[in-house]
Amino acid sequence: MIRENQQFFNRLNLLAEMLILEASLIISYCVCYYAIAFASAPFPLYDFSIYGIFLLPIYFFVYSFFKTYAPLQSMTYPTIIKITFYANTIVIVPILIFLLAIQSFYATWLLLLVYYFSCLIIISLKRICMKAVLSSLRKRGINCKTLIITGGGKPAMEYLQAIKTKTTFGFKFVGYVANEKTLNGEYLGTYDELYDLLNRYKPDELVCTLDYDNVDRLQQIVADCEKTGTRISIIPYCYQYLPTNAQIDQLGNIPLINLRQIPLDNNGKYFVKRIVDILGSVSFLTIASPFILAVASLIKCTSKGPVIFKQQRVGKDKKVFTMYKFRTMVQNPNEETGWTTKDDPRKTKLGSFLRKFSIDEWPQFFNVLKGDMSLVGPRPEIPFHVADFQKEIPRYMVKHQVKPGVTGLAQVKGWRGDTSIVKRIECDIFYIENWTLMMDITILFQTIFRAFANSEDIIAKEKSKEDKKINKKKESSKLNDAQPKTSNVEKITEEIISTTKELVKAEENQKREGKNVV
């Protein structure tokens, strides 16, 4: 049902939203100038409705850019609200500029406000209601795609579990085809019977999940699907190594799958990000320059040592660079390997305040200007930890394929300071593989409003199981290396304890004997 009517539903959805936007403008006009009459209307209602029609292509372009017309089952309710908010906020900017240009802002600011919130609320409610209705229908088996799975190995098991768990995806499992009964579902027959089965059940789609042992059956399965006109999707047996958005290149007639596609490898996207870095860092340093001078003076007056703390960090392509920070601790010999903790005794009183609000990171904007860092990206580590983590944590070195950042996705998610390295790497890799300019802007805003207040209280609570395993491995290896020394110490300790106990007993006996004599 979805396959035949998806295009019709998409057009109907687009038409409904355009009508909502135009109706919101007319209703906002009537509320502001007829019901409230807060000012005299600069233009008649007819002219405003015409302006609204010219706005519709802008809305369509921005909504498409933010992928608001993507299948609703692939988005959560908070995601729907978030992207609708971003899209409507961006559209309102040219309207504001236009009103300021024609000097009609003071007569239309309330109209602009009512129009913005009415569009935001109505469009969001409409999309949420549509998702709720579609999810309810699909849970009942209505408006679902029927599909057959070929294969009975691990890929088939995991895919079947996914579609059974998430019924809102809209898939109705008919059964599976394999040479053996291995899955928890209806067994339809063998691979040799596939052509007859496709004609009998007429599924909307066939999902080919062959494992390595049965990959020679692929040619026959594709041929049977083509003969019956059945749509086919393939899950390769090496699927666990593929990223979410795999990039396929073409070398002659041979397709090549790029396992680590990075959007910033595109020169145009890299150029845009670099321009944003330069403009952002220059703007911040200009605005914050008085505060930077004040902080530098306070550091110089309250503790001995340099104002700027310089430390070697590993950046893009594993190149080492010097990162700048305000000095927040007393000078120490472990500055190249030590890791700061919440109650670190090396921190000065002023340093604790600077770290609490991340003010100590401000000099890194000079690193951004130099080109060593970016405004947003994975946080850089010192070479000592990089050499250690790359042996223990899978895919750790992937983070060095882009420039490190002043802030990053992991930091706004709470994985900062002495927290889980594994979780940080997961966030870093997601950022690297799914980078967009809007993601950078979102992270910067989240940094200002959420991550700027760095209380460092999450240090002990957010430790992951993976880090604990790594620490246990390290401890066990150290214990194994020091086993002979430890056994000797234990023997001596036991002898001392037993001798002490004997002396105490002898003393008690002497006291008892003395009392008896008296």
Side-chain angles (χ1 to χ4, degrees), residues 118-134:
S118 61
C119 290
L120 178 62
I121 293 170
I122 296 172
I123 294 291
S124 298
L125 287 176
K126 174 250 175 191
R127 290 172 179 169
I128 289 171
C129 290
M130 278 187 63
K131 178 177 172 62
V133 170
L134 288 173

Side-chain angles (χ1 to χ4, degrees), residues 151-217:
K154 185 180 177 183
M157 291 180 185
E158 293 189 1
Y159 180 75
L160 181 58
Q161 183 181 2
I163 62 175
K164 283 187 174 181
T165 304
K166 296 288 186 180
T167 55
T168 55
F169 286 161
F171 295 115
K172 186 178 180 180
F173 176 58
V174 176
Y176 71 99
V177 177
N179 286 336
E180 296 178 357
K181 295 182 180 180
T182 55
L183 301 183
N184 184 17
E186 185 176 351
Y187 177 71
L188 301 179
T190 64
Y191 296 118
D192 294 330
E193 302 172 279
L194 179 61
Y195 178 77
D196 295 330
L197 292 170
L198 292 176
N199 285 322
R200 185 190 311 167
Y201 291 99
K202 294 181 173 58
D204 291 314
E205 188 173 354
L206 181 139
V207 179
C208 182
T209 60
L210 297 177
D211 51 19
Y212 181 76
D213 296 332
N214 296 310
V215 73
D216 57 330
R217 289 282 186 174

Side-chain angles (χ1 to χ4, degrees), residues 268-284:
K269 294 179 180 179
Y270 177 82
F271 176 76
V272 171
K273 184 174 174 65
R274 182 59 186 153
I275 292 296
V276 172
D277 287 342
I278 294 172
L279 294 177
S281 55
V282 168
S283 301
F284 177 83

